[in-house]
């Protein structure tokens, strides 16, 4: 899958994939061969961080 460059669109896509297809951020990153660090950095730029309990990126 190709992830959007726009951070707000990225947030929407990532949270949808986490909700519908993946049990964790690690699983999402591994399945799509993407860097967890890069993904979290891009979403942190718009004040979102990953919440393990919700398995979603949430606003800080």
């Amino acid at each position: 899958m190709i992830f959007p460059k726009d951070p707000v669109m990225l947030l929407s896509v990532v949270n949808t994939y986490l909700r519908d297809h993946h049990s964790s951020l690690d699983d999402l990153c591994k399945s799509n061969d993407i860097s967890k660090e890069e993904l979290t950095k891009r979403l942190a730029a718009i004040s979102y961080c990953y919440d393990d309990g919700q398995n979603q990126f949430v606003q800080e």
Side-chain angles (χ1 to χ4, degrees):
M1 167 180 191
I2 299 173
F3 287 93
K5 293 188 187 296
D6 178 84
V8 175
M9 291 298 297
L10 177 63
L11 172 66
S12 177
V13 169
V14 167
N15 275 345
T16 298
Y17 269 77
L18 285 167
R19 181 190 69 223
D20 295 345
H21 305 287
H22 299 282
S23 60
S24 69
L25 180 57
D26 288 329
D27 181 45
L28 171 84
C29 292
K30 186 184 224 182
S31 295
N32 290 283
D33 194 31
I34 60 173
S35 165
K36 180 178 174 180
E37 292 76 22
E38 180 62 28
L39 181 60
T40 56
K41 179 181 172 185
R42 288 177 61 192
L43 293 176
I46 59 168
S47 301
Y48 280 79
C49 62
Y50 181 69
D51 181 298
D52 283 326
Q54 295 183 45
N55 191 35
Q56 294 284 292
F57 278 87
V58 296
Q59 197 163 27
E60 297 180 302

